[in-house]
Amino acid sequence: MDKTVHVTATARGLFAGRVVPQMSKFIIEGGRTLRGEVSVSGAKNAVLPIMAASVMADSPCVLHNVPDLTDTKIMAEILKGLGVRVDRIGPDGSSLYIDPRTLNRHVVDELLMRQVRSSVFLMGPLLGKVGKVQVSYPGGCDIGQRPIDLHIKGLKSLGATFTEEHGQIIAERDRWEGVDIHLDIPSVGATENIMMGAALAKGVTVIRNAAKEPEIVDLQGFLNSMGARIRGAGTDVIRVEGVTNLYGCEYTIMPDRIEVGTFMVAAVITSGAIWIENALPEHVQAVTAKLREVGAEITEKDRGLYVKGTGRPKPTDVKTLPYPGFPTDMQPQMMALLSIAEGTSVITETIFDSRFKQAEELGRMGAKIRTEGRTAIIKGVPRLSGAMVEATDLRSGASLVLAGLSADGVTTVNGIHNLDRGYERLEAKLASLGASIKRVLGDEPVHARLRVTGMN
Ligand code: UD1
């Protein structure tokens, strides 16, 4: 299903050696009940900082359960651009061999940087390892303001000096010493960047008001496997005792909790029944609670979840919050579900502004959604109807696919390159559950604008 093209220098100089997502769309015939078993892939939001952190090792790392996504491909290209060797290995290619011994650059490729926001994760590791880094501001933003001031503030307090030239952020360190940092907001990315940088600092760093997301616990697990001394991830105080060097290790990436949540909603929205293999129920408790409220039957097992839809969902109110609250990355999918609820629901988005892009597209399918700032009021309708819609970012794309699965008639979802950033083999997995979904190359002309939003 690899629809990503590695364009050669002779083919198109501008994109030489770069990962260029191909335009494609999904054609979904809705109304099928999804049943069966599906296995979730490794977590995108865990593997990206972990790939960045691997440059700090003195010897090669092997990562297992690495999802094959546009974002992981781009991150691999970024690492290669820094001189690091990166190869897909293993019988099914789901492992990544990363050899950072040949790391010889500290300037992150600007075009790639614009394609994947997570390239900012190189700041902490490169400052820690080689003492300098040059990045550009991460690319366009479709889910509201996403500054990186807290990343910079944290790394400055460890001892880095930042300057800005022609849109490039250039940072260098002289001292690199542990410090007490209190984050203004529990930012996931800032927590991770500071943890990585502090792993190689002298002395102890304490990060207070840290984000508590499971991906941060996974990053701690990886860093500690490399010889770091970190504890507290998963709580709001993280303590990093700096070490002088880190070594290569073997590590398995946690399952993707947002992919789990997306399949949970797929079961409920199609009144189906899905066993989600490799899911960690404790990571999706907020989603489970909401889906139970709307009437779903959910059974939790050690490494899996059984989710059964029981007809039209009941309405409910949802407020996105930092973990363990309801994840903002599941908000668009929940909106699709609530658009067919038996009554009116309210969604409040507290993490990002402009994260209701899917509302207008769902409206094309007959949903009755009114948005006011960070609030969306959703008046449930009995059924959605197929239409041509556009995925403007990763999770809004997921929301439209879910809506298309439950709608009457045919839905065309354009802008699938946004979904390829974060869902591995999505159409194959959905088809194996009985969905009628196929990928067709080429966007509809009216939508044929390349938008890689670089978001979440
Ligand atoms: C990560 C996730 C993303 C998820 C988000 C919130 C990755 C790769 N992405 O994004 O999928 O939606 O967490 O769960 O892990 N903020 C600042 N200054 C900063 C940093 C953040 O003001 O320096 C603000 C943001 O604008 C936002 C809030 O803090 O309003 C939370 O952002 P943050 O937790 O940093 O999200 P990301 O790490 O970007």
Side-chain angles (χ1 to χ4, degrees):
M1 196 227 46
D2 184 354
K3 299 291 176 195
T4 304
V5 190
H6 292 263
V7 179
T8 61
T10 44
R12 289 174 61 183
L14 179 62
F15 291 114
R18 302 221 157 72
V19 181
V20 181
Q22 228 175 45
M23 289 306 193
S24 47
K25 61 191 173 195
F26 280 156
I27 310 282
I28 303 168
E29 252 179 64
R32 310 261 175 114
T33 299
L34 299 198
R35 286 185 201 287
E37 191 177 315
V38 70
S39 182
V40 292
S41 305
K44 170 182 89 73
N45 286 353
V47 76
L48 293 171
I50 286 176
M51 285 174 75
S54 67
V55 306
M56 293 192 289
D58 292 339
S59 47
C61 294
V62 176
L63 305 179
H64 300 296
N65 201 29
V66 177
D68 188 17
L69 307 169
T70 313
D71 274 17
T72 48
K73 288 188 175 91
I74 295 172
M75 185 58 104
E77 290 304 317
I78 288 177
L79 297 184
K80 287 180 194 168
L82 298 172
V84 175
R85 183 172 165 193
V86 186
D87 292 314
R88 278 260 169 199
I89 56 166
D92 58 356
S94 68
S95 299
L96 214 53
Y97 171 88
I98 304 179
D99 186 351
R101 286 174 298 184
T102 44
L103 175 73
N104 56 17
R105 295 197 73 211
H106 67 279
V107 182
V108 177
D109 181 286
E110 194 180 340
L111 276 180
L112 291 172
M113 178 95 198
R114 288 188 191 288
Q115 289 191 43
V116 57
R117 181 184 162 81
S118 303
S119 43
V120 294
F121 289 136
L122 264 320
M123 290 199 301
L126 285 177
L127 279 168
K129 178 75 176 176
V130 294
K132 49 189 176 178
V133 63
Q134 183 174 327
V135 293
S136 47
Y137 276 103
C141 190
D142 251 13
I143 59 169
Q145 284 291 310
R146 295 186 79 176
I148 52 168
D149 56 312
L150 300 175
H151 301 234
I152 292 175
K153 201 167 150 188
L155 296 171
K156 267 185 183 168
S157 60
L158 282 165
T161 314
F162 281 79
T163 49
E164 221 185 300
E165 268 175 37
H166 313 297
Q168 295 282 305
I169 304 168
I170 302 163
E172 239 174 286
R173 65 163 156 91
D174 34 31
R175 69 182 170 81
W176 197 238
E177 283 166 16
V179 68
D180 257 37
I181 295 170
H182 191 108
L183 290 176
D184 299 334
I185 302 173
S187 153
V188 176
T191 303
E192 293 172 333
N193 234 333
I194 297 165
M195 273 168 81
M196 294 188 280
L200 285 175
K202 195 171 158 208
V204 175
T205 299
V206 180
I207 311 168
R208 295 180 206 281
N209 197 28
K212 297 185 278 199
E213 271 64 6
E215 291 76 12
I216 294 170
V217 180
D218 217 34
L219 178 62
Q220 170 178 280
F222 174 68
L223 291 168
N224 285 349
S225 302
M226 289 205 296
R229 292 201 195 125
I230 307 176
R231 60 189 154 90
T235 76
D236 56 8
V237 181
I238 298 176
R239 192 185 145 89
V240 185
E241 206 182 304
V243 296
T244 51
N245 68 304
L246 296 167
Y247 41 82
C249 69
E250 216 173 314
Y251 195 77
T252 302
I253 306 297
M254 63 174 263
D256 195 311
R257 65 192 168 100
I258 306 302
E259 189 190 2
V260 174
T262 303
F263 281 114
M264 291 171 80
V265 174
V268 183
I269 207 168
T270 65
S271 294
I274 304 178
W275 167 253
I276 306 168
E277 179 72 25
N278 199 27
L280 295 176
E282 68 268 28
H283 286 175
V284 287
Q285 275 172 354
V287 177
T288 301
K290 277 294 152 194
L291 293 181
R292 281 186 174 141
E293 262 178 55
V294 305
E297 287 170 17
I298 300 175
T299 311
E300 303 177 345
K301 293 274 163 63
D302 272 359
R303 265 197 100 90
L305 277 164
Y306 177 74
V307 184
K308 186 169 183 290
T310 54
R312 212 174 149 194
K314 298 188 195 79
T316 188
D317 294 341
V318 176
K319 189 177 195 175
T320 63
L321 286 169
Y323 190 84
F326 192 91
T328 174
D329 287 351
M330 279 301 300
Q331 178 264 106
Q333 300 89 316
M334 199 67 190
M335 183 180 278
L337 178 64
L338 295 176
S339 67
I340 56 160
E342 279 178 319
T344 301
S345 310
V346 177
I347 294 184
T348 311
E349 171 59 60
T350 75
I351 309 293
F352 294 111
D353 45 12
S354 312
R355 207 180 187 174
F356 289 144
K357 293 268 157 60
Q358 71 283 358
E360 199 182 319
E361 301 299 306
L362 289 169
R364 293 181 206 280
M365 302 176 72
K368 300 255 174 298
I369 304 169
R370 190 160 54 87
T371 61
E372 279 170 22
R374 288 178 173 232
T375 305
I377 299 144
I378 305 138
K379 204 168 156 211
V381 295
R383 306 229 16 117
L384 296 173
S385 34
M388 186 186 294
V389 290
E390 172 125 7
T392 53
D393 65 68
L394 170 56
R395 306 304 172 186
S396 77
S399 135
L400 299 173
V401 168
L402 292 167
L405 292 173
S406 85
D408 289 332
V410 175
T411 297
T412 301
V413 185
N414 286 312
I416 289 312
H417 56 280
N418 280 314
L419 274 153
D420 292 337
R421 294 188 35 240
Y423 290 94
E424 187 179 49
R425 302 189 306 109
L426 180 62
E427 72 270 36
K429 289 184 183 186
L430 288 171
S432 77
L433 294 166
S436 167
I437 176 168
K438 64 174 190 255
R439 179 186 292 254
V440 178
L441 282 186
D443 248 358
E444 296 302 315
V446 68
H447 294 293
R449 284 162 288 155
L450 178 62
R451 275 192 298 269
V452 177
T453 59
M455 288 303 103
N456 70 81

